[in-house]
Amino acid sequence: MTTIPDVQPALKAAVEQSIAELRTAYGDEETRIAPDGQGGAWVEIASVDLGETYLQDDTFVAFLLPFNLPGADIYPLFVRPDLGRTDGEPLGKGTQVTTLAWPGEQRRVVQLSRRTRNGAFASQTVVQKIEKVLAWLRDK
């Protein structure tokens, strides 16, 4: 008998639940999913409002839902690479331009480093985390 490992394991239950919450909050057509092959998934929300702080009206948001949810933070998040402030100031602390190896492509992005500390990530939903980081970005 030969055992062949599953090349693309199914998404973990907590990841599937998080994806369902994201689709409810942001819409099916706005939410792109790419399984990571470990039970987690890369997610891209196509368009979220940026508010008054930025030259751009909206951005995509990309992030990894790790296979070990809810025992891991959703960190970091990535947004459009051309993000610019209306006041001309630099993006500042907690942001950096980098390259994201999104499944099947390389893309320039701005990384948002907003870690949830002290295990508090286990008590927030994925939508709460995304909205918390977006509120930080809008108010930055």
Side-chain angles (χ1 to χ4, degrees), residues 81-126:
D82 61 344
L83 194 62
R85 294 175 53 91
T86 56
D87 61 9
E89 293 293 318
L91 296 179
K93 188 175 181 182
T95 63
Q96 72 176 20
V97 177
T98 189
T99 301
L100 174 63
W102 176 266
E105 64 182 278
Q106 298 280 325
R107 59 162 83 162
R108 297 295 289 167
V109 293
V110 170
Q111 177 178 317
L112 306 177
S113 296
R114 303 305 303 162
R115 186 175 298 249
T116 303
R117 304 228 182 261
N118 302 324
F121 52 78
S123 64
Q124 67 186 359
T125 68
V126 63

Side-chain angles (χ1 to χ4, degrees), residues 18-100:
S18 293
I19 291 169
E21 291 171 11
L22 288 164
R23 287 187 165 144
T24 297
Y26 300 104
D28 240 358
E29 62 286 344
E30 292 289 313
T31 310
R32 182 174 144 195
I33 308 299
D36 72 355
Q38 299 178 33
W42 282 97
V43 176
E44 179 181 19
I45 301 166
S47 179
V48 296
D49 181 53
L50 281 170
E52 307 276 323
T53 306
Y54 297 94
L55 297 169
Q56 300 81 4
D57 293 330
D58 64 357
T59 184
F60 66 84
V61 177
F63 51 92
L64 176 66
L65 291 175
F67 71 91
N68 53 344
L69 284 178
D73 196 8
I74 300 161
Y75 165 87
L77 279 69
F78 305 94
V79 296
R80 63 186 305 154
D82 61 344
L83 194 62
R85 294 175 53 91
T86 56
D87 61 9
E89 293 293 318
L91 296 179
K93 188 175 181 182
T95 63
Q96 72 176 20
V97 177
T98 189
T99 301
L100 174 63

Side-chain angles (χ1 to χ4, degrees), residues 11 49 66 90 131 139:
L11 297 175
D49 181 53
E131 288 301 318
D139 293 340

